[in-house]
Amino acid sequence: MVEPSGILTLLTDFGLQDPYVGVVKGVLYTFAPQIQIIDLTHEIEPQNIFSGAWSLFWSYTYFPKGTVHLAVIDPGVGTERSILLAKTKDYYFIAPDNGILAPILDTHEHQLFHAYREWGLEHQSTTFHGRDLFAPLAGRLITTQKIQELGAPAKDYVKLPHFFPEFQKNKILGLLAHVDRFGNLITNIPFEKLPSPPFEIHIKDYKMVVHHIFKSYHEGKGKDFFGLKSSNGCLEIASYHRNLAKNWNLKGGETIEIPLKAEFKEK
Amino acid sequence: MVEPSGILTLLTDFGLQDPYVGVVKGVLYTFAPQIQIIDLTHEIEPQNIFSGAWSLFWSYTYFPKGTVHLAVIDPGVGTERSILLAKTKDYYFIAPDNGILAPILDTHEHQLFHAYREWGLEHQSTTFHGRDLFAPLAGRLITTQKIQELGAPAKDYVKLPHFFPEFQKNKILGLLAHVDRFGNLITNIPFEKLPSPPFEIHIKDYKMVVHHIFKSYHEGKGKDFFGLKSSNGCLEIASYHRNLAKNWNLKGGETIEIPLKAEFKEK
Amino acid sequence: MVEPSGILTLLTDFGLQDPYVGVVKGVLYTFAPQIQIIDLTHEIEPQNIFSGAWSLFWSYTYFPKGTVHLAVIDPGVGTERSILLAKTKDYYFIAPDNGILAPILDTHEHQLFHAYREWGLEHQSTTFHGRDLFAPLAGRLITTQKIQELGAPAKDYVKLPHFFPEFQKNKILGLLAHVDRFGNLITNIPFEKLPSPPFEIHIKDYKMVVHHIFKSYHEGKGKDFFGLKSSNGCLEIASYHRNLAKNWNLKGGETIEIPLKAEFKEK
């Protein structure tokens, strides 16, 4: 049983222009003066639970065992939605019960709790639970309280559909899961499940043929676009030194379809 | 008398695209290797003293006692403007004397000093006092020097008008003090001073009637807009999952007027 | 011989909207739990090596001796480009061999190594060496390994042309090296090499005369524009409370020419 190590990651849709993230950290330091806080990102599109879940799922394993992952994308703040406290073999998680933890919980053995609100600040607003509830819970978990003291045992949690692709007989149905700063298009389709190139890929209104799978961006110099294995092991569509998402006017969330040819199916 | 704890918050209008914030931190670590630095925000609109004062005023109490709050929005850099060192019961503050600390000093007992420039770096530029003066002062305050050794006792400081609203017989005169990342409109009018809804609110050219006061954003689903108690206790105007500021083309700084009805006045 | 102090600066073009920077930090903490990480900036324009070199060159000396500076602007990720480990008298550097370290290496005695890839993560992607190679190398350097254990001794490195200006008989040829958040135009021309004002300056299609050199932005109130000594000692062109770069539609990278008058040459 790994104990909280004192390292906490923070993932929100608060942005950095307001002092909200700083204030959450102030409360965390108040409860846990020895805490080490690492920002995962705060630029998740407001209320975009899928995007938060994606960023967390592919990042959390790169942190030391015992890290507490705090994720506050919380469109239901102030309602009766519950707050999840979760523990897998190596990590702790705190987040609203809205699907953001679902991909991790779906795929890992875990203990789950619904947080008691009494562990929050004495005066709790209805619009900023990151400060008033999540931070005190995380600070207590890192210092004085066991996870089972902070919440009631729970089994169910809100699911997040379409996080993983669907493999049908004649096609793979996936998502354009993430567009990064460089304009690379990162899908949720595992690289090793792809047919051999050339293969078709349909994104939004585009029907394209992926002719090239390269190992590096540099190899694709001079090509319009190409596929490669993204750093998380999924299919990525990119262009050398060119923001493909801007050029194609694509945003995260579009459905993707990859038709499977007969010869592939019979493998 | 609380001593500096080693935690420092940093609030600037430097943005994050330049290495300025990083360099200020480098100097802070040079003077105080054990320092813990928390970014409040660096995305204050360039030279917007009001906005910096607002972000600091509503944030600083959420940090551990003994925190040093360093705020560098400094349009007067390189002039004869003085640098304030202040101490309230629980916190320390360092900032240019331009109004950014005024709301805190106006409302709290404090000791005040004008910093001696000799405590800065040996070579001081005229354009980057965050690096050359503020950081060395803060670093020394956290480690080796008492606040009274770093500056000369002072009484006066530059005021910041309109930070708090004005309560007249037949109206409240306030400000749209802050527009946050979500497009929520945060006023400087204390929630408990509001008339009962429905009440009129005038912002810029808009004359609106606030019909609904809700407890959460979610409650306001389906409404054009509504009021709620912001996380700092002031009136906030918002819309569910919609960036109201963008929709109404509003920015922080607009004056707000709330007419008071006769029946309210006679309460 | 200064040892790595445990402080590391991080400079990338990853931006902050993706979890990439957070993940790099996760790996750093995994290898070096006591590390102190300071963000220099992550908003370098994608693949802009010059801009990264500029930000690093003028910042790194403001950090405590023994700081490790990790700079990942890496358009050649996944190719055979080597990774440099460098040590000057007071600092350590890790970066791809693409010119980003060249201005520092050109001007300082140093030891240089080409990193062994075996010190990276067991599973290495071809698109995210910040996570898989640079972070493990930096983490090991700070904790268990000597720099000479992490790489093979090297002499050559990729150069970065035009970083320093060229002084010709009748003109100075320089660059608009950086445009900061405030729209100030920062050149690579040392202030003390300038002719006395008034002097001409040609930027892109503009031919202007710098009539005024001021000590502070505030002194320039009411003037269209003026020169001053930037905080790094180079010529800066600015305007009081006005974003000059936006007004003149200028970006970093433009060439600058300052004609030298006869009387100046004969000094």
Side-chain angles (χ1 to χ4, degrees):
Chain A
M1 264 284 288
V2 69
E3 294 296 317
S5 69
I7 292 178
L8 176 136
T9 75
L10 192 50
L11 172 75
T12 75
D13 62 351
F14 295 170
L16 293 174
Q17 80 221 48
D18 304 308
Y20 299 153
V21 169
V23 166
V24 168
K25 291 179 182 174
V27 177
L28 285 165
Y29 272 96
T30 303
F31 280 86
Q34 304 303 321
I35 199 171
Q36 293 281 11
I37 303 170
I38 304 174
D39 297 301
L40 211 43
T41 175
H42 301 291
E43 303 288 353
I44 298 292
E45 185 190 25
Q47 291 107 23
N48 192 329
I49 292 162
F50 183 95
S51 184
W54 182 263
S55 286
L56 185 60
F57 186 84
W58 293 110
S59 303
Y60 79 96
T61 57
Y62 288 95
F63 291 83
K65 291 182 184 187
T67 295
V68 174
H69 296 288
L70 174 55
V72 191
I73 289 104
D74 192 15
V77 61
T79 67
E80 293 301 309
R81 67 94 184 80
S82 72
I83 291 176
L84 295 179
L85 301 160
K87 193 190 168 314
T88 60
K89 182 162 160 283
D90 293 330
Y91 298 102
Y92 291 82
F93 300 88
I94 305 178
D97 184 16
N98 59 19
I100 192 168
L101 293 186
I104 294 168
L105 299 177
D106 287 351
T107 54
H108 291 79
E109 279 192 45
H110 59 266
Q111 296 173 266
L112 196 64
F113 304 87
H114 285 159
Y116 302 126
R117 302 198 170 204
E118 291 73 17
W119 290 118
L121 297 189
E122 198 184 333
H123 298 285
Q124 292 176 18
S125 72
T126 54
T127 56
F128 193 5
H129 283 182
R131 177 190 70 189
D132 302 339
L133 265 167
F134 289 96
L137 284 163
R140 292 181 195 278
L141 178 60
I142 281 172
T143 50
T144 52
Q145 253 87 28
K146 300 276 178 202
I147 190 168
Q148 60 269 25
E149 299 168 9
L150 293 171
K155 281 200 167 171
D156 295 333
Y157 52 90
V158 173
K159 301 287 182 177
L160 187 65
H162 308 303
F163 189 85
F164 299 106
E166 195 182 320
F167 300 94
Q168 299 186 348
K169 272 198 179 165
N170 57 350
K171 60 186 171 195
I172 306 173
L173 281 175
L175 277 179
L176 176 50
H178 187 70
V179 167
D180 74 9
R181 189 201 189 200
F182 303 92
N184 300 320
L185 310 177
I186 297 150
T187 76
N188 67 345
I189 300 169
F191 190 77
E192 67 269 22
K193 300 277 185 160
L194 292 174
S196 316
F199 59 85
E200 271 185 45
I201 183 166
H202 307 172
I203 312 180
K204 215 179 162 188
D205 305 328
Y206 295 90
K207 288 197 182 191
M208 291 163 297
V209 177
V210 176
H211 286 283
H212 310 283
I213 295 285
F214 292 129
K215 288 218 169 169
S216 71
Y217 300 111
H218 193 267
E219 266 188 61
K221 211 171 165 173
K223 305 290 180 195
D224 261 9
F225 70 94
F226 50 87
L228 39 62
K229 187 174 178 175
S230 194
S231 62
N232 68 355
C234 291
L235 170 67
E236 174 176 333
I237 309 286
S239 183
Y240 181 68
H241 282 210
R242 201 165 65 105
N243 190 309
L244 206 57
K246 265 195 194 158
N247 269 271
W248 291 357
N249 197 25
L250 284 173
K251 290 188 177 180
E254 301 291 346
T255 48
I256 286 181
E257 190 179 316
I258 296 181
L260 298 178
K261 291 173 290 189
E263 55 270 40
F264 178 73
K265 283 189 287 174
E266 286 160 359
K267 259 182 197 170
Chain B
M1 265 283 289
V2 69
E3 294 295 317
S5 69
I7 291 178
L8 176 137
T9 75
L10 192 50
L11 172 75
T12 75
D13 62 351
F14 295 169
L16 293 174
Q17 80 222 47
D18 304 308
Y20 299 152
V21 169
V23 166
V24 168
K25 292 180 182 174
V27 177
L28 285 165
Y29 272 96
T30 302
F31 280 86
Q34 304 303 322
I35 200 172
Q36 293 281 11
I37 303 169
I38 304 175
D39 298 300
L40 211 44
T41 175
H42 301 290
E43 303 288 352
I44 298 293
E45 185 190 24
Q47 291 107 23
N48 191 328
I49 292 162
F50 183 95
S51 184
W54 182 262
S55 286
L56 185 60
F57 186 84
W58 293 110
S59 303
Y60 79 96
T61 57
Y62 288 96
F63 291 82
K65 291 182 184 186
T67 294
V68 174
H69 295 288
L70 174 56
V72 191
I73 289 105
D74 193 15
V77 62
T79 67
E80 292 302 309
R81 67 92 184 80
S82 72
I83 291 177
L84 295 179
L85 301 161
K87 193 190 168 315
T88 60
K89 181 162 161 284
D90 293 330
Y91 298 103
Y92 291 82
F93 300 88
I94 306 179
D97 184 15
N98 59 19
I100 191 168
L101 293 186
I104 294 167
L105 300 178
D106 287 350
T107 54
H108 292 79
E109 278 192 44
H110 59 266
Q111 296 173 266
L112 195 64
F113 304 86
H114 285 159
Y116 302 126
R117 302 199 170 202
E118 291 72 18
W119 290 118
L121 296 189
E122 198 184 332
H123 297 286
Q124 292 176 19
S125 72
T126 54
T127 56
F128 193 5
H129 283 183
R131 177 191 71 189
D132 302 338
L133 266 167
F134 289 96
L137 284 163
R140 291 181 194 278
L141 178 60
I142 281 173
T143 51
T144 53
Q145 253 86 29
K146 301 275 178 201
I147 189 168
Q148 60 269 27
E149 298 168 8
L150 292 171
K155 280 200 168 172
D156 295 334
Y157 53 89
V158 174
K159 301 287 183 178
L160 188 65
H162 307 304
F163 189 85
F164 300 106
E166 195 182 321
F167 300 94
Q168 299 186 349
K169 272 198 178 165
N170 57 350
K171 60 187 170 194
I172 306 173
L173 282 175
L175 276 179
L176 175 50
H178 187 70
V179 167
D180 75 8
R181 189 200 189 200
F182 302 92
N184 299 321
L185 310 177
I186 297 151
T187 76
N188 67 345
I189 300 169
F191 190 77
E192 67 268 24
K193 302 277 186 159
L194 292 174
S196 317
F199 59 84
E200 271 186 44
I201 183 166
H202 307 171
I203 312 181
K204 214 179 162 188
D205 306 328
Y206 295 89
K207 288 197 182 192
M208 291 163 296
V209 177
V210 176
H211 286 283
H212 310 283
I213 295 284
F214 291 129
K215 287 219 170 170
S216 72
Y217 301 110
H218 193 267
E219 266 187 61
K221 211 171 165 172
K223 306 290 180 194
D224 261 9
F225 70 94
F226 49 88
L228 39 63
K229 187 175 179 174
S230 194
S231 61
N232 68 355
C234 291
L235 170 66
E236 174 176 333
I237 309 286
S239 184
Y240 181 68
H241 282 210
R242 200 165 66 105
N243 190 308
L244 206 56
K246 265 194 194 159
N247 268 270
W248 290 358
N249 197 25
L250 284 174
K251 290 188 177 179
E254 301 290 346
T255 48
I256 287 181
E257 190 179 317
I258 296 180
L260 299 178
K261 290 174 290 190
E263 54 270 40
F264 179 73
K265 282 188 288 173
E266 287 160 358
K267 259 182 197 169
Chain C
M1 264 284 288
V2 69
E3 294 295 317
S5 68
I7 291 178
L8 176 137
T9 75
L10 192 50
L11 172 75
T12 75
D13 61 351
F14 295 169
L16 293 174
Q17 80 221 49
D18 305 308
Y20 299 153
V21 169
V23 166
V24 168
K25 291 179 182 174
V27 177
L28 285 165
Y29 272 96
T30 302
F31 280 86
Q34 304 303 321
I35 199 172
Q36 293 281 12
I37 303 170
I38 304 175
D39 298 300
L40 211 43
T41 175
H42 301 291
E43 303 288 353
I44 298 292
E45 186 190 23
Q47 291 107 23
N48 192 328
I49 292 162
F50 183 95
S51 184
W54 182 263
S55 286
L56 184 60
F57 186 84
W58 292 110
S59 304
Y60 79 96
T61 57
Y62 288 95
F63 291 83
K65 291 183 184 186
T67 294
V68 174
H69 295 289
L70 174 56
V72 191
I73 289 105
D74 193 15
V77 62
T79 68
E80 292 301 309
R81 68 92 184 80
S82 72
I83 291 176
L84 295 179
L85 302 161
K87 191 189 168 316
T88 60
K89 181 162 161 284
D90 292 331
Y91 298 103
Y92 291 82
F93 301 88
I94 306 178
D97 183 16
N98 59 19
I100 192 168
L101 293 186
I104 294 167
L105 299 178
D106 287 350
T107 54
H108 292 79
E109 278 192 45
H110 59 266
Q111 295 173 266
L112 196 64
F113 304 86
H114 285 159
Y116 302 125
R117 302 199 170 202
E118 291 72 18
W119 290 118
L121 297 189
E122 198 184 333
H123 298 285
Q124 293 176 18
S125 72
T126 54
T127 56
F128 192 5
H129 283 182
R131 176 190 71 189
D132 302 340
L133 266 167
F134 289 96
L137 284 163
R140 291 181 194 278
L141 178 60
I142 281 172
T143 50
T144 53
Q145 253 86 28
K146 300 276 178 201
I147 189 168
Q148 60 269 27
E149 299 168 9
L150 293 171
K155 281 200 168 172
D156 295 333
Y157 53 89
V158 174
K159 301 287 182 178
L160 188 65
H162 307 304
F163 189 85
F164 299 106
E166 195 182 320
F167 300 94
Q168 299 186 349
K169 272 198 180 167
N170 57 350
K171 61 186 170 194
I172 306 173
L173 281 175
L175 276 179
L176 176 50
H178 187 70
V179 168
D180 75 8
R181 189 201 189 199
F182 303 92
N184 299 321
L185 311 177
I186 297 151
T187 76
N188 67 345
I189 300 169
F191 190 77
E192 67 269 23
K193 301 277 185 159
L194 292 174
S196 316
F199 59 84
E200 271 186 44
I201 183 166
H202 307 172
I203 311 180
K204 215 178 162 188
D205 305 329
Y206 295 89
K207 288 196 183 193
M208 291 163 297
V209 177
V210 176
H211 286 283
H212 310 283
I213 295 284
F214 292 129
K215 288 218 169 169
S216 72
Y217 301 111
H218 193 267
E219 266 187 61
K221 211 170 165 173
K223 306 290 180 194
D224 261 8
F225 70 94
F226 50 87
L228 39 63
K229 187 175 179 175
S230 194
S231 62
N232 68 356
C234 292
L235 170 67
E236 174 176 334
I237 309 285
S239 184
Y240 181 68
H241 282 211
R242 201 165 66 105
N243 190 309
L244 206 56
K246 265 194 195 159
N247 268 270
W248 291 357
N249 197 25
L250 284 174
K251 290 188 177 179
E254 301 291 346
T255 48
I256 286 181
E257 190 179 316
I258 296 180
L260 299 178
K261 290 174 289 190
E263 54 270 41
F264 179 73
K265 282 189 288 173
E266 286 159 0
K267 259 181 197 170

